[in-house]
Amino acid sequence: MEEQKKCTLSLSGSAVDMKATAILSGRVRQSFSHGKSKVVAVEVKKKRSSPTAGVSAPVSPLSELYKDKNLTSNELETRLKVVKEAIKESKEQELLRTKNVENEQSASALQADETQRQQESESALHATEEVAPRNVSPKDAATKSGANNQKIHSHKTFKHSKGADFADDDDFSYKSATSKKAPDIKKDIKELKGRYIAGSGKISIYNALDEDHGRTRSLSSIRRAKQKNKFVPKNPDEMKVIKDVVLPETISVQELSNRMAIRTSDVIKTLMKMGVMATANQIIDADTAELVILEFGHNVKRVSDSDVEIGLRKEDSAEDLQFRPPVVTIMGHVDHGKTSLLDALRKTDVALKEAGGITQSIGAYQVNMRDGRRITFIDTPGHAAFTEMRSRGANVTDVVVLVVAADDGVKDQTIEAIDHAKAAKVPMVVAINKIDKQGANPDRVRKELLSHEVVVEAYGGDIIDVEISAKTGLNLEKLEESILLQAEVLDLKANPYRAAEGVVIESKVEKGLGPVATVLIKKGTLKVGDIFVSGVVYGRVRAIRTDVKEALNELTPGMPGEIIGFNGSTVPGDDFIVVEDEGKAREISNYRDRKKREQTLVITSSRTADQLFSKFEADEKLRYLSVIVKADVQGSAEAICSSLQKLSTEEVAVRVLHSGIGEVTESDVVLARASNALILCFNVRANVQARDQILRDGIQIKYYSIIYDLIDDIKALLSGLLAPNIKENILGSAEVRKIFDVSKLGRIAGCMVTAGVIRRGAKARLMRDGVVVYSGDVRSVRRHKDDVKEVRENFECGVTLENYNDIHVNDIIESFELEEVARQL
């Protein structure tokens, strides 16, 4: 390489530091890896700007840099290319980082800032040129600076702000050469890129080559901080959301925190400040919860637990109503032909399948008339034990058909059925049955009904009466017409286009299906898949079927059907309502179950102390017969329990430990063994495991299919628990005429038997002047010197009393025996 002519650098003073001397000299020495070194010329060019008054435009040293033969064009282009790439990357990163900055600054503000920055740059450049003139030799500059790979920094910094473009390629001053080797230069350029990207928007050769810089934040850290600041409100009070917190009568701490959207720990701290020590799952009252809600600045909306049932039953508009089939309940005395009449209407033989020929459960059926119309019939038992069933049938019915046998007349359950119909305020149709039977007297029936304020049309009343024969089918069509006539008068309508509402007629448990209930729909249409609530249980309709086990897709108003899908055994008479979702059904079910338990606790705990003591005293005298009742349907179980309770007296009582539906299980046997109870099964049997345990433990179990057989047996068992009556039989009496004192035998009363006999070992009373002074036993009876068993009337004897010697002359000794007589309930 051709060597260049070297000039001498001379400094006029020592005030210029080494870095400035090296910069202004324009030449530095560069060392290479192969050991050689060379002098490189460095030119610093100021950005072009409009010349100011009194200041001449600076001469660009860049042109001299190109003239310098010591720096090849390839080296110059390489350095320019590296700087351009660094500036380009920094520009892209800066644009990315400044996207989230708010509205752009005004054009005037940017222009003013640019003008001021240019003036500052020009002033700095002129100041440095005045201090160190350009004719200073590079050799002296290198000597002054120490020449130990000293870094040379540019006096000019490149500053970038929003809205300002980068300058042209030739508008930058940079360190073109150092004493470092080529790999070190590349490392410095790489650091230059990273520092500009991670910096605050300013870069200079000083900053790029200074080794004493500190650690700076990365771009990712800055971006995360800005993203976080977006979600942190400047004023938390302005951004706080005030909620209307729904507050029931009781609520858990966890639920309260969820409704306020506040951490549970904060709620617990607030409670502790109020003096309430509570955990997350603890229940607090509404007043305490209200104070907590107000403490956090939310609004309180107090509600009652019963509000869950608000809107459960909806009213229908008149334009949505349509005619529905009438619901008819057949009532009357036992064995008066109720089920036989229903069989004649349905063309079935249900009566022949009933145990004992009597109905022992309530049933619902729908019959299609000859003209296409339909009637829903509810068959009720006539036995005295099924009073509640008849009451339920009268409450859900539209018309009551009172069946009275023409040969038997009005009986007890007939009168009871009349009372149920009057209490339910439903119209009545009298069906005088068995008119084909010998001895039938329909007029007798009508007269007996008059005494119970049932006046038929034949006697000038408004109650329709029809003489029928369920056996031959006589006048059945006339009875159907009478029922439909009453239905037309009642104008029965319902809305089929809404959620279903109904009532549970009967419930049972079937193996493989679980709880099954017979439901009568009163409003709406019930479909498979509907979610419902019934009493304290709920569920989803899995299947619908008729009384003959035929599958149905839906039930319309007035139709009965068996529903499968209950989560527990429901109680006949409970409502049946379809709700929107399972959560609503569960909430209503839990509320009803809680209220039911509370009522039970209130009844149990409402007794006073005196009542409890009197109950304990009565319990000591009262004998219990503990039983467990299992039946096929819920109605039968209720009827049995009610009948057994009526058998109780002041001395004996039936204690029903448990009643349920379905087969006898092992848990029932365990309960019976623990309480020494009797298991009563009505139309059900024990499963295999329960039977084995019954044989092993010796538990008493009885099976019944007729309810009055069960009641008679329990009545006999209760009679055996009754204390027998004590009957006193007088044997005889004797008068004391003389007293003998014997040292070994004590005082002996010499007596004359005046009536009956005086018997040894019998009971005796000693009476003096008509007053009983002793009651005990006759210890011995002696005739002369012999000890005898008894002495009869008009004979003398000697009598000694057990543990008693105070016997006087003229006392009367009366002998008697006690006899136990069994009692009947």
Side-chain angles (χ1 to χ4, degrees), residues 320-334:
D320 296 332
L321 300 180
Q322 296 183 6
F323 288 99
R324 65 169 177 83
V327 180
V328 180
T329 300
I330 300 178
M331 305 177 73
H333 192 70
V334 62

Side-chain angles (χ1 to χ4, degrees), residues 456-484:
V456 298
E457 289 181 344
Y459 287 179
D462 56 353
I463 297 177
I464 302 174
D465 66 295
V466 183
E467 297 179 5
I468 63 171
S469 173
K471 185 176 182 180
T472 63
L474 179 64
N475 291 334
L476 292 184
E477 294 182 4
K478 186 178 180 181
L479 177 62
E480 293 175 359
E481 292 176 357
S482 301
I483 294 172
L484 293 174

Side-chain angles (χ1 to χ4, degrees), residues 143-164:
T143 304
K144 293 284 184 179
S145 60
N148 290 326
N149 298 327
Q150 177 68 32
K151 295 178 182 179
I152 304 175
H153 301 280
S154 173
H155 70 281
K156 179 176 178 182
T157 61
F158 300 101
K159 181 177 181 182
H160 176 70
S161 61
K162 184 176 179 181

Side-chain angles (χ1 to χ4, degrees), residues 10-13 15-16 20 24 54-56 58 121-136 155:
S10 61
L11 298 178
S12 59
V16 182
L24 297 178
V55 180
S56 62
S121 301
E122 293 172 358
S123 300
L125 182 59
H126 287 297
T128 53
E129 289 177 349
E130 292 174 358
V131 173
R134 293 190 53 180
N135 57 1
V136 179
H155 70 281

Side-chain angles (χ1 to χ4, degrees), residues 119-317:
Q119 292 176 355
E120 292 175 355
S121 301
E122 293 172 358
S123 300
L125 182 59
H126 287 297
T128 53
E129 289 177 349
E130 292 174 358
V131 173
R134 293 190 53 180
N135 57 1
V136 179
S137 68
K139 183 176 180 180
D140 295 337
T143 304
K144 293 284 184 179
S145 60
N148 290 326
N149 298 327
Q150 177 68 32
K151 295 178 182 179
I152 304 175
H153 301 280
S154 173
H155 70 281
K156 179 176 178 182
T157 61
F158 300 101
K159 181 177 181 182
H160 176 70
S161 61
K162 184 176 179 181
D165 295 329
F166 284 95
D168 296 335
D169 297 337
D170 56 346
D171 292 336
F172 297 91
S173 296
Y174 57 94
K175 181 178 183 301
S176 61
T178 63
S179 59
K180 293 184 179 179
K181 297 180 181 180
D184 297 332
I185 297 175
K186 294 181 179 180
K187 183 177 180 181
D188 291 340
I189 298 299
K190 187 175 182 180
E191 291 179 356
L192 170 65
K193 297 179 182 179
R195 293 175 189 174
Y196 184 86
I197 294 173
S200 60
K202 295 182 180 181
I203 185 169
S204 66
I205 299 299
Y206 287 97
N207 295 334
L209 301 179
D210 190 5
E211 292 182 351
D212 297 332
H213 65 277
R215 294 189 60 185
T216 59
R217 296 180 63 184
S218 65
L219 180 61
S220 300
S221 175
I222 297 173
R223 189 179 297 129
R224 287 194 301 269
K226 289 185 177 180
Q227 194 72 12
K228 182 178 179 181
N229 292 335
K230 288 183 179 180
F231 300 99
V232 178
K234 297 180 180 179
N235 189 355
D237 295 335
E238 297 178 358
M239 304 299 293
K240 186 175 182 180
V241 178
I242 298 177
K243 296 185 176 182
D244 293 333
V245 181
V246 178
L247 181 61
E249 296 177 1
T250 57
I251 189 172
S252 65
V253 176
Q254 179 69 47
E255 180 64 21
L256 179 61
S257 64
N258 293 340
R259 295 189 181 187
M260 293 190 299
I262 295 175
R263 292 184 300 179
T264 307
S265 58
D266 295 338
V267 177
I268 294 176
K269 290 177 183 177
T270 305
L271 288 171
M272 293 175 65
K273 292 178 182 178
M274 298 166 55
V276 178
M277 307 300 293
T279 60
N281 297 325
Q282 190 166 341
I283 304 297
I284 59 177
D285 59 279
D287 294 335
T288 304
E290 182 176 0
L291 294 177
V292 175
I293 295 171
L294 295 176
E295 181 71 20
F296 284 100
H298 296 295
N299 298 328
V300 182
K301 185 178 179 182
R302 294 285 289 266
V303 296
S304 176
D305 290 345
S306 59
D307 291 346
V308 296
E309 296 190 350
I310 294 177
L312 192 60
R313 294 177 175 86
K314 302 177 181 178
E315 298 296 331
D316 299 320
S317 58

